[in-house]
Amino acid sequence: MRSNRDHNGVGITGTGFYVPPFVLTNFDLPEALETSDEWIRQRTGIRQRYIADESTNTSELAAIAATKALKQARLSPKEVDLIIVATSTPDNAFPSTAALVQQKLACHAAAFDLSAACSGFVYALSVGSQLIRSGAYKTVLVIGADVFSKILNWNDRNTAVLFGDGAGAVVLQSLPGSFPCYSLLGADGSGSELLKSPVTGPVTMNGREVFKFGVRIFEALLRKVLDDLSLSIDDIALIIPHQANIRMIEKAAESANISLDKVFVNVEKYGNTSAASIPIALAEAIEQNRARSGDIVVLIGFGAGLTWGVQVIQVA
Ligand SMILES: CC(C)(COP(=O)(O)OP(=O)(O)OC[C@H]1O[C@@H](n2cnc3c(N)ncnc32)[C@H](O)[C@@H]1OP(=O)(O)O)[C@@H](O)C(=O)NCCC(=O)NCCS
């Protein structure tokens, strides 16, 4: 692994996440949905999700998560050069949610949004890392934040039970000598009808096809990472996949022949928070010591587009 060391390495020096205070358990779902706690838990692993109130938008959640990440990195907002917000539920068509976060943090960073649905955070991390490697920026805030509760049809049990609101953020900084920031991104627009939300919503989905895609892409991306970096699964401390469905994660782990112990799962608490799911999981994994300093962690995102992405990081 030593030969892989990178003079232009990029490190994650802070993580943070935030979910709104209101918890909606499976038992609290509207009766009209004709669903049950038992069905949802068995088919998805989800027990509850957090829902933003009417006046809380993506930028509010994102700014709180970002403030926590900056605190952990011991940086002031003024030291941030660039803010990237991955979201499919921006506060407005424009200005960008990232610009609103910049205003809330009272800093002068450049700011833009990136849209790649549930793969958005991995896409944004890849872009942020490459911009640091190129020398263009020194300190980049990468945030994944979504409020799917605002674009769901609360009468559609196929989708309403799956999603929750939240935000996760990381601080990226140049860290010479760290592990190379390997990433691989992909998209297949021919699958655009499988999971979709017009600008005003609601979300529609072909659950079975999306399920099969998620399992297939998890395994393919993991194999590619191990091959490209000449790593064995034992070199990887933790895999953090997009948190969509526990059955999907279990099936993918089984197909890839890896123990579930290697895979971080928190979907039971948050549901699918789209672009926020991986950074929330990463922040929790670090908090719980499942990912420690020096550990190699593989982040695997997949979602609407269809899109997918993998990013290998080393915990700073
Ligand atoms: C959505 C998902 C949980 C459905 O599970 P499934 O085992 O494929 O279930 P099916 O779609 O085959 O539906 C089986 C039955 O349950 C019913 N059903 C669907 N949602 C239900 C719910 N919330 N509660 C109760 N019954 C439900 C269906 O209507 C169907 O009934 P029928 O047999 O009478 O027609 C599953 O396909 C899935 O998780 N897909 C991936 C979704 C996802 O993660 N999307 C985001 C990716 S980024």
Side-chain angles (χ1 to χ4, degrees):
M1 274 191 351
R2 191 166 290 273
S3 61
N4 278 330
R5 297 269 151 188
D6 187 347
H7 295 298
N8 293 323
V10 178
I12 292 179
T13 55
T15 57
F17 76 96
Y18 179 72
V19 289
F22 178 69
V23 184
L24 186 73
T25 71
N26 292 345
F27 295 101
D28 303 326
L29 287 162
E31 241 172 67
L33 268 184
E34 293 185 2
T35 187
S36 67
D37 172 63
E38 196 190 356
W39 192 97
I40 300 169
R41 269 193 296 111
Q42 275 179 6
R43 306 281 178 128
T44 71
I46 298 166
R47 290 174 182 273
Q48 62 171 49
R49 68 287 290 143
Y50 293 83
I51 303 289
D53 65 31
E54 216 168 297
S55 64
T56 303
N57 291 314
T58 297
S59 68
E60 273 97 39
L61 307 184
I64 299 172
T67 302
K68 291 183 176 186
L70 284 169
K71 191 171 172 209
Q72 198 180 83
R74 295 168 200 266
L75 289 177
S76 117
K78 302 264 184 294
E79 291 170 274
V80 176
D81 304 317
L82 173 68
I83 301 170
I84 310 175
V85 175
T87 187
S88 310
T89 50
D91 295 23
N92 306 288
F94 59 85
S96 69
T97 304
L100 301 179
V101 171
Q102 187 238 46
Q103 181 202 22
K104 289 178 169 54
L105 296 180
C107 64
H108 308 292
F112 68 92
D113 288 0
L114 184 154
S115 165
C118 300
S119 313
F121 179 76
V122 174
Y123 263 69
L125 201 55
S126 174
V127 171
S129 302
Q130 301 306 333
L131 286 172
I132 290 180
R133 280 170 63 93
S134 73
Y137 294 96
K138 281 199 169 70
T139 303
V140 178
L141 249 180
V142 178
I143 305 168
D146 269 306
V147 287
F148 264 47
S149 65
K150 295 183 195 290
I151 57 164
L152 289 170
N153 171 358
W154 283 99
N155 296 312
D156 175 14
R157 67 180 183 178
N158 289 307
T159 50
V161 305
L162 301 177
F163 296 93
D165 300 337
V170 302
V171 178
L172 287 183
Q173 290 185 278
S174 167
L175 209 65
S178 62
F179 200 70
C181 57
Y182 172 99
S183 73
L184 183 76
L185 306 174
D188 175 9
S190 71
S192 59
E193 293 298 320
L194 295 179
L195 180 53
K196 185 173 176 177
S197 172
V199 176
T200 51
V203 176
T204 57
M205 181 182 69
N206 178 333
R208 281 191 183 181
E209 288 308 312
V210 174
F211 189 101
K212 284 191 255 174
F213 156 69
V215 172
R216 196 171 62 240
I217 207 71
F218 177 112
E219 189 193 351
L221 289 175
L222 185 60
R223 280 194 201 293
K224 180 90 176 108
V225 166
L226 296 179
D227 267 10
D228 284 357
L229 294 176
S230 305
L231 296 176
S232 91
I233 193 68
D234 295 334
D235 297 318
I236 310 288
L238 193 66
I239 298 165
I240 302 185
H242 170 48
Q243 306 288 313
N245 180 323
I246 184 65
R247 277 198 305 133
M248 203 191 280
I249 293 172
E250 283 169 356
K251 191 114 205 293
E254 188 190 316
S255 308
N257 203 18
I258 53 168
S259 155
L260 253 195
D261 296 346
K262 277 251 174 220
V263 186
F264 190 81
V265 179
N266 66 5
V267 69
E268 70 281 2
K269 272 194 285 182
Y270 303 106
N272 179 346
T273 55
S274 195
S277 101
I278 290 179
I280 291 176
L282 176 63
E284 275 203 332
I286 291 172
E287 226 173 63
Q288 295 169 10
N289 265 331
R290 293 276 313 270
R292 299 187 177 87
S293 181
D295 279 354
I296 307 292
V297 177
V298 176
L299 312 178
I300 299 179
F302 50 85
L306 299 170
T307 54
W308 56 88
V310 61
Q311 174 87 36
V312 180
I313 59 161
Q314 184 169 32
V315 181

